[in-house]
């Protein structure tokens, strides 16, 4: 498997740069390989819903960030990669505690990337009495499949502004259009 | 069409009670009728992404709240109504400004409710020179279809805790399970 | 609204050419305008499920054909337009009888087209006693939202084979790739 | 893992009984375990699209059948289990040849079952020169996630008609309603 096209730290910075609503989630990148990215969502009061568990919209944001990481791990720091469609199934009520999103790529095309995310409770939350034993992978609390659209000539973060790359284009193709 | 089963104000309070990550969106309910709910997401720095537009996760949260309102407008204050599946397509880059989510019910069943949301820019954002003229409905920036699961014996907010309503049930059926 | 880029008859021929599993549905195009296409699925024994109603897979095929028509009505006879994602919610058990799929475009981009389909029973099935009265639009039995991917340089049906248009491209970009 | 609640043969008979459009696919059940079902779709002229590969609607039908099998493997022959939502992403153009759908359960609830299907080409299609070597799992051509709704008191096939089980219920709850 090829190496990731950027570092997890660089991804973490890019993903939250200038997006405070996402940045305040306090996510940490636990794995960042080519096409495989794990992101931790720490349990905090800001994200709780009645019952003491993390609210649905926070899980959606977690999955969106994770899949953005999956895309960037394969194509590099393409800021214009945007979510086209996003489908989530909520499976179980998460117990109070951190959540881990495990993202992987299902298909890397020239213009579309399809990825899958399984959100599971942090297994450390239910560590067995015997500390030597490895707890089993918890059952997922949510499953996501989504598509990201890549710009025609995937510019890297240091590239000139996309407007310069797309002369004479209309509204639908405006830079940053989420589903061009 | 029957009347809404609760008021928009009561819904707004219920939707954000104890969910700070959602409450901080500062959404306002602009329409609350039986099966039809419009919610405004005010543009604020917290929600912006590079380019000055509202970030995707904020739009997902907006749609989730709106559909929760559509459900409660028909069944009343059922706190245990939970999102089962949620599918969003991002259509266009929203211009800077408020967003309006227009939600409606596609199907009200005994245990499942399917609803649709169209997110559009606030038309006031591009008011015509002639203040007397009504601006056209803007093109949607995102479209959502989702399913909510209702508890078997839809308890109202003042009902006893659901655990008491579901004796001897396993994990999958625990109260608050998002997709029982 | 601009005119459709091809005729409904030409679309019907293209949609079923060499696809017997789809052709045998016997669909008829009832409306073919730029971005708006209605297709009728006649009720026949082949498509029935126990209960005398049309089976789910036939409804999925109907919606897929209808959205393919929505795309071609706007871009012309682009054989390489392919379904990328397809999401259907089954809402009600259809009564025995023909089904009508009403498709429309939600977004036409350079490389992606997002469309919506509402499948309803043929209103003629429940014509009122008074033949002069127009029966109301029936409630939808299914709702679909899907994305079609267009080839980079959308070739028309008379264009040279796509392989010639895409020299030196790998598997993911092979002609007909459903989600490049 | 508990045993399957019925046999693969019994499932195959139930799935195609009285549904000729599905029965003509000629699917064969290759694996039928509790929560895990593999179904083969043989390549035949009826299912081909230009390019010699199996058409999209046939893949949708294959996935729907497979997930119905996943549900019945866990709850037994419940004829009234119906598809509520179905989401498919087409990933790659399948090569000519049989397709295998690998289905598994993500969540078994009291009223909803969520399952996942990965459709892959039959690996025998590209057997290595060395017949002793096991060919690698091919890359998926499509991915599906869907929800099935179970009737309130999951009746088995031999149970009395659901109408008798659901006194005084309206249209939405009619037996066979696809998303009650």
């Amino acid at each position: 498997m090829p190496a990731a096209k950027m570092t997890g730290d660089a991804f973490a910075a890019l993903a939250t740069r200038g997006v405070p609503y996402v940045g305040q989630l306090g996510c940490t990148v636990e794995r960042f390989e080519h096409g495989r990215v794990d992101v931790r969502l720490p349990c905090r009061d800001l994200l709780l819903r009645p019952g003491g568990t993390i609210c649905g919209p926070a899980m959606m944001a977690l999955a969106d960030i994770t899949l953005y990481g999956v895309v960037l791990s394969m194509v590099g720091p393409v800021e214009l990669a945007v979510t086209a469609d996003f489908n989530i199934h909520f499976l179980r009520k998460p117990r109070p505690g951190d959540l881990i999103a495990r993202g992987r790529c299902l298909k890397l095309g020239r213009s579309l990337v399809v990825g899958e995310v399984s959100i599971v409770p942090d297994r450390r939350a239910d560590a067995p009495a015997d500390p030597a034993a490895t707890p089993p992978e918890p059952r997922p609390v949510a499953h996501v499949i989504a598509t990201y659209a890549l710009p025609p000539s995937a510019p890297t973060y240091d590239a000139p502004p996309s407007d310069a790359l797309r002369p004479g284009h209309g509204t639908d193709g405006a830079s940053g259009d989420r589903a061009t």
Side-chain angles (χ1 to χ4, degrees), chain A:
Chain A
M1 176 175 292
K5 292 293 184 67
M6 65 190 294
T7 69
D9 290 346
F11 158 66
L14 179 59
T16 57
R17 177 192 304 132
V19 191
Y21 188 67
V22 172
Q24 68 182 344
L25 290 171
C27 291
T28 56
V29 179
E30 303 222 323
R31 177 187 192 185
F32 197 81
E33 300 168 2
H34 189 278
R36 283 197 172 273
V37 173
D38 292 352
V39 176
R40 170 183 298 268
L41 177 62
C43 184
R44 49 177 60 179
D45 292 348
L46 172 70
L47 309 180
L48 296 183
R49 57 167 288 175
T53 59
I54 292 178
C55 65
M59 284 191 265
M60 295 192 211
L62 168 64
D64 192 41
I65 294 171
T66 304
L67 284 171
Y68 187 47
V70 168
V71 173
L72 270 51
S73 72
M74 298 183 293
V75 302
V78 179
E79 271 204 327
L80 297 185
V82 292
T83 311
D85 69 86
F86 179 96
N87 182 254
I88 184 168
H89 282 73
F90 292 100
L91 305 174
R92 297 173 182 84
K93 175 188 181 183
R95 291 154 303 180
D98 293 3
L99 294 179
I100 309 293
R102 306 196 187 287
R104 70 187 185 96
C105 176
L106 292 181
K107 183 253 175 68
L108 171 62
R110 291 164 307 168
S111 59
L112 297 181
V113 182
V114 181
E116 181 180 42
V117 173
S118 180
I119 299 180
V120 298
D122 177 12
R123 70 173 65 194
R124 297 183 318 199
D126 37 14
D130 172 6
T134 300
E137 176 78 353
R139 295 187 303 176
V141 296
H143 177 281
V144 172
I145 183 162
T147 305
Y148 269 68
L150 302 177
S153 56
T156 62
Y157 175 59
D158 294 328
S162 63
D163 291 345
L165 296 176
R166 305 180 188 173
H169 205 289
T171 308
D172 280 344
S175 64
D177 182 344
R178 293 189 70 90
T180 296

